[in-house]
Amino acid sequence: MTTYHQMLSTVTTDGLEMKLVEREMPTPKDNEIVVQVEATPINPSDHGVMFGWADISKATSTGEGADRVLRAPLAPGGLSRMKARLGQDLPVGNEGAGVVVAAGSDDYAQSLMGKRVAVMGGGMYAGYRAIPAMTALPLPESATSKDGASCFVNPLTALCFVETMKNEGHTAIVHTAAASNLGQMLNRICQADGIEIVNVVRKSEQVELLKDMGAKYIVNSSDDDFHMQLTDAIHATGATLGFDAIGGGDMASKILTAMEAAAARTPGAYSIYGSVAHKQVYLYGSLDFSPTKLDRAYGMAWGVGGWLLPNFLAKAGMETAVRLRKRVAAELHTTFKSHYTDEISLSEALDADVVKRYNAKKTGEKFLINPQLGL
Amino acid sequence: MTTYHQMLSTVTTDGLEMKLVEREMPTPKDNEIVVQVEATPINPSDHGVMFGWADISKATSTGEGADRVLRAPLAPGGLSRMKARLGQDLPVGNEGAGVVVAAGSDDYAQSLMGKRVAVMGGGMYAGYRAIPAMTALPLPESATSKDGASCFVNPLTALCFVETMKNEGHTAIVHTAAASNLGQMLNRICQADGIEIVNVVRKSEQVELLKDMGAKYIVNSSDDDFHMQLTDAIHATGATLGFDAIGGGDMASKILTAMEAAAARTPGAYSIYGSVAHKQVYLYGSLDFSPTKLDRAYGMAWGVGGWLLPNFLAKAGMETAVRLRKRVAAELHTTFKSHYTDEISLSEALDADVVKRYNAKKTGEKFLINPQLGL
């Protein structure tokens, strides 16, 4: 085989267009390996690059197999928000796993020949991917590519939530969309490391799922007494840090309000300008694209901000990254086990009906692309 | 004289009540001084303790002189937000200046007898105030109490904006409500220290005022091309830090959007997840009580949070506080000069019509209470 297919996303003034292009097989540089990609997940963090501010509810696809093209109009205000990427063909897919089928002349690259590795390099929705050998994570013998496909984004995000907590002097965490793959990993990490976590979910099935995992604090945002449940759990755990996957609406504000109400129960924690300890919520996702609304009824010691794994890792430094990656490889079948509901080809991933399904980001649903499946 | 009057603010389920109570003259402890308060400003930061979440537009006052009482109903949602202070009689007034009329036995306290000092101790809307001598700032011989009344809140806030900028690795500042006393001080500091500042105002008179002061970047939020003006000024200055006095609405979001647009003009500053440098807006005031709305169209490297002088000073430590206070005393007649439009008595400060005037927080209007004026 001398060519392979790669998925590209392009935004123009006409809208979003995603397609597969045929590429020549790459020749690895001395320090590089070429990975035959066998499994690459569709994470919420991929949606940003894939779809940007397009209106996916109006997406259509044409053609079949390798010729399938997905098109969608831009959402209102989308164009001005995507100026920086206008006209660029962006490769998509943050992470994945596969077998090393070619390697450059460097010893380390050569040592990986034939091995199964996990990779976070971008452009993973493709049959093959050339990357520096140093960036690959060799998988244990027991692992399939499917097992190793999600080694980076979710595991490192969950681990880096805990790193952030420690770096910023907090001692417990509130997490929303807590029944997700990421949320389940975070619970396993917190249980192993003795950290209290308040899980916020929106359905009673999700309460049960987390209860079965041994989670101690689970709060259902659909319950009438959500604010009181949340305040009680925050009071019990002392959480002053939240990670919110929703982004839009008032969830971050509700968490800060509950933290403030919990502080008001604690003697000495309160001044006339509100509670004294810093309360922080990081928005790491955008399940809700609407504006974030903060009612600021929580004094002055609070913050809300974006949180992005690559930005955190860049600040945390190489030593931290190596330590965390080692833990992921060691606990791949336990702490960092992922579940997938659908395995699809590159072409199916551009089918408008399929796109609408995974774009819905339903908790429990998780799509895996296998670029080796026939187009 | 054996008694004096002190202003108190009390919130109950019935609403807000503010009154003057008669107190016995305090006897200073060994390390304390008693200050006869001659001048104490009404700062926006005082309003929070004075009025909380009361609806001042519906305030009424009854009685005259020392018997005057101000009452106002609570705003919707106000009660739950003020639980922590319910039923407490809170002394009000953050700062002021006056003459030391009694002192404890300690040498330092004794050394201040008869001197004019500035004080930030809370409870300053009162004829007299006993405080630890160490916390007083002796004023230069040339200064009246009026000159020294606003030595702390505005000067230290402006100086601590610059400290925050340096501590967090930014190099220029965006400031809203920039024509205020505080904004003018901040411009004088930035000019003296060679720091670029983007001044955001909402009226053309304010543009002129700042221009006359020598301000280089002035942007009018009432202009149609505000976003472009702001982006240009942020691009020119490299500002990635904003201080916003407005709090509610979308000003913080607009500043972040302009920072992102400025970053998109700079090669290398942009990734697919938005600009890489952290962009921060601190809300230090609440001229607009409505929710803060963030549209998050500025990537993931951003933060919004509350900023409060006492919290900052507590973190910055004593050495920083001493250094900044020395600068305030040295530059009291220049950099840190304040202007007042009205000088009123304690009783007048509780007159509903007067309250509505200073509660409007109009730029350029500034009220000073002189507790020695007859009630």
Side-chain angles (χ1 to χ4, degrees):
Chain A
M1 188 193 280
T2 56
T3 66
Y4 68 94
H5 285 93
Q6 176 170 49
M7 189 185 291
L8 295 178
S9 168
T10 314
V11 171
T12 67
T13 50
D14 293 333
L16 169 77
E17 184 178 287
M18 291 181 69
K19 57 179 185 283
L20 302 176
V21 294
E22 205 166 354
R23 298 277 192 214
E24 294 283 317
M25 275 296 287
T27 308
K29 292 179 196 151
D30 290 351
N31 68 335
E32 284 187 339
I33 52 173
V34 175
V35 179
Q36 182 179 33
V37 184
E38 295 178 330
T40 169
I42 304 180
N43 288 315
S45 55
D46 290 308
H47 291 204
V49 189
M50 292 173 82
F51 306 137
W53 294 82
D55 182 353
I56 294 302
S57 71
K58 295 184 181 138
T60 55
S61 48
T62 56
E64 292 291 324
D67 298 322
R68 196 178 328 247
V69 176
L70 180 84
R71 290 189 182 81
L74 301 188
L79 193 60
S80 71
R81 286 167 178 186
M82 292 194 287
K83 261 187 197 159
R85 62 174 285 184
L86 221 57
Q88 294 177 45
D89 292 329
L90 299 179
V92 288
N94 281 321
E95 65 178 335
V99 175
V100 178
V101 293
S105 57
D106 285 3
D107 285 352
Y108 184 63
Q110 281 295 323
S111 77
L112 294 177
M113 262 304 289
K115 295 252 169 73
R116 186 161 267 118
V117 296
V119 167
M120 179 163 74
M124 294 301 294
Y125 296 169
Y128 294 83
R129 178 80 170 87
I131 54 142
M134 280 303 296
T135 65
L137 178 66
L139 293 172
E141 290 285 337
S142 59
T144 64
S145 287
K146 192 171 167 178
D147 292 334
S150 298
C151 265
F152 291 95
V153 177
N154 278 343
L156 289 181
T157 298
L159 286 170
C160 288
F161 284 178
V162 174
E163 294 291 309
T164 299
M165 181 197 85
K166 290 176 184 168
N167 291 350
E168 300 185 5
H170 305 276
T171 54
I173 290 173
V174 178
H175 184 225
T176 70
S180 65
N181 266 331
L182 172 62
Q184 293 178 37
M185 281 180 197
L186 187 58
N187 270 279
R188 289 191 288 261
I189 293 167
C190 286
Q191 282 170 28
D193 296 4
I195 294 162
E196 300 280 27
I197 177 168
V198 178
N199 294 281
V200 179
V201 298
R202 63 201 154 92
K203 288 181 184 166
S204 53
E205 308 92 90
Q206 296 163 343
V207 173
E208 293 310 314
L209 187 155
L210 287 169
K211 214 177 261 178
D212 290 347
M213 284 186 62
K216 215 161 128 193
Y217 300 97
I218 312 162
V219 176
N220 188 339
S221 61
S222 303
D223 288 350
D224 289 340
D225 63 343
F226 169 57
H227 174 69
M228 194 49 72
Q229 283 183 33
L230 184 60
T231 303
D232 288 346
I234 287 171
H235 182 62
T237 58
T240 47
L241 175 65
F243 287 95
D244 174 38
I246 302 166
D250 60 0
M251 181 55 82
S253 202
K254 279 178 173 163
I255 293 170
L256 291 168
T257 302
M259 287 175 177
E260 187 72 358
R265 293 186 193 170
T266 311
Y270 212 79
S271 84
I272 192 60
Y273 292 108
S275 69
V276 181
H278 184 77
K279 299 161 292 297
Q280 179 72 35
V281 176
Y282 286 113
L283 314 180
Y284 74 94
S286 209
L287 294 175
D288 177 349
F289 276 103
S290 74
T292 309
K293 277 168 90 174
L294 308 172
D295 69 11
R296 309 194 307 289
Y298 17 82
M300 297 300 277
W302 61 272
V304 168
W307 192 97
L308 187 72
L309 180 62
N311 293 356
F312 177 83
L313 285 174
K315 263 193 294 184
M318 185 55 86
E319 209 169 304
T320 300
V322 169
R323 172 169 54 84
L324 300 180
R325 282 170 54 157
K326 273 190 188 156
R327 180 167 178 183
V328 175
E331 302 174 23
L332 195 58
H333 296 299
T334 52
T335 313
F336 301 108
K337 193 169 174 56
S338 290
H339 303 273
Y340 304 97
T341 49
D342 294 76
E343 187 171 340
I344 58 178
S345 71
L346 283 170
S347 175
E348 285 169 315
L350 294 182
D351 181 293
D353 292 331
V354 177
V355 167
K356 283 166 197 171
R357 279 183 56 219
Y358 63 73
N359 191 52
K361 293 173 238 177
K362 283 198 191 137
T363 301
E365 281 203 3
K366 185 93 187 173
F367 283 65
L368 187 73
I369 297 177
N370 179 348
Q372 305 309 319
L373 290 177
L375 301 180
Chain B
M1 188 193 280
T2 57
T3 66
Y4 67 95
H5 285 93
Q6 175 171 50
M7 190 185 292
L8 295 178
S9 168
T10 313
V11 171
T12 68
T13 49
D14 293 332
L16 169 77
E17 185 177 288
M18 292 181 68
K19 56 179 185 285
L20 302 176
V21 293
E22 205 167 353
R23 299 278 192 213
E24 295 282 318
M25 276 295 288
T27 307
K29 294 179 195 152
D30 291 351
N31 68 334
E32 283 187 339
I33 52 173
V34 175
V35 179
Q36 183 180 29
V37 183
E38 295 178 330
T40 169
I42 304 180
N43 288 316
S45 54
D46 290 308
H47 291 205
V49 188
M50 292 172 82
F51 305 136
W53 295 82
D55 183 353
I56 294 303
S57 71
K58 296 185 181 138
T60 55
S61 49
T62 55
E64 293 290 325
D67 297 322
R68 199 181 322 249
V69 176
L70 180 84
R71 289 188 183 82
L74 301 187
L79 192 61
S80 71
R81 288 168 176 186
M82 293 194 286
K83 262 187 196 160
R85 61 174 286 186
L86 221 56
Q88 294 177 45
D89 292 328
L90 298 179
V92 288
N94 281 322
E95 66 178 335
V99 175
V100 178
V101 294
S105 57
D106 284 3
D107 286 351
Y108 184 65
Q110 281 293 325
S111 76
L112 294 178
M113 262 305 288
K115 294 252 169 73
R116 188 161 264 119
V117 296
V119 167
M120 179 164 73
M124 295 300 294
Y125 297 168
Y128 294 84
R129 178 80 170 88
I131 54 142
M134 281 302 296
T135 66
L137 178 66
L139 293 172
E141 290 284 338
S142 59
T144 64
S145 288
K146 193 171 168 179
D147 292 334
S150 297
C151 266
F152 291 95
V153 177
N154 278 343
L156 288 182
T157 298
L159 287 170
C160 288
F161 284 177
V162 174
E163 294 291 309
T164 300
M165 182 197 84
K166 291 177 183 167
N167 291 352
E168 300 186 4
H170 304 276
T171 55
I173 290 173
V174 178
H175 185 224
T176 71
S180 65
N181 266 331
L182 172 62
Q184 294 179 36
M185 282 182 197
L186 187 59
N187 271 281
R188 290 191 287 261
I189 293 167
C190 286
Q191 283 170 27
D193 296 3
I195 294 163
E196 301 280 27
I197 176 167
V198 177
N199 294 282
V200 179
V201 298
R202 62 200 154 93
K203 288 182 184 163
S204 52
E205 308 93 90
Q206 297 164 341
V207 173
E208 293 311 314
L209 187 156
L210 288 170
K211 215 179 261 177
D212 290 346
M213 285 186 62
K216 214 160 127 192
Y217 300 97
I218 312 162
V219 176
N220 188 340
S221 62
S222 302
D223 289 350
D224 289 340
D225 63 344
F226 169 56
H227 175 67
M228 195 49 73
Q229 284 183 33
L230 184 59
T231 304
D232 288 344
I234 287 172
H235 183 61
T237 57
T240 46
L241 176 65
F243 287 96
D244 175 37
I246 301 165
D250 60 2
M251 180 54 82
S253 202
K254 280 177 171 162
I255 293 170
L256 291 168
T257 302
M259 287 176 179
E260 188 72 358
R265 294 185 192 171
T266 309
Y270 212 79
S271 84
I272 191 60
Y273 291 109
S275 69
V276 180
H278 185 77
K279 299 162 293 297
Q280 179 73 34
V281 176
Y282 285 113
L283 313 180
Y284 74 93
S286 209
L287 294 174
D288 177 349
F289 275 103
S290 74
T292 309
K293 277 169 91 174
L294 308 172
D295 69 11
R296 308 195 309 289
Y298 17 82
M300 296 300 277
W302 62 271
V304 168
W307 192 97
L308 187 72
L309 180 62
N311 293 357
F312 177 83
L313 285 174
K315 263 193 294 183
M318 185 56 87
E319 209 170 305
T320 300
V322 169
R323 171 169 54 84
L324 301 180
R325 281 171 53 157
K326 273 190 188 157
R327 180 166 178 184
V328 174
E331 303 174 22
L332 195 58
H333 295 298
T334 52
T335 314
F336 303 108
K337 193 168 174 57
S338 290
H339 301 273
Y340 304 97
T341 49
D342 294 76
E343 186 170 342
I344 58 178
S345 70
L346 283 171
S347 175
E348 286 169 314
L350 294 182
D351 181 293
D353 293 331
V354 176
V355 167
K356 283 166 196 170
R357 280 184 54 219
Y358 63 74
N359 191 52
K361 291 173 238 177
K362 285 198 191 136
T363 301
E365 282 203 2
K366 184 90 187 174
F367 283 66
L368 187 72
I369 297 177
N370 180 348
Q372 305 309 320
L373 291 177
L375 301 180

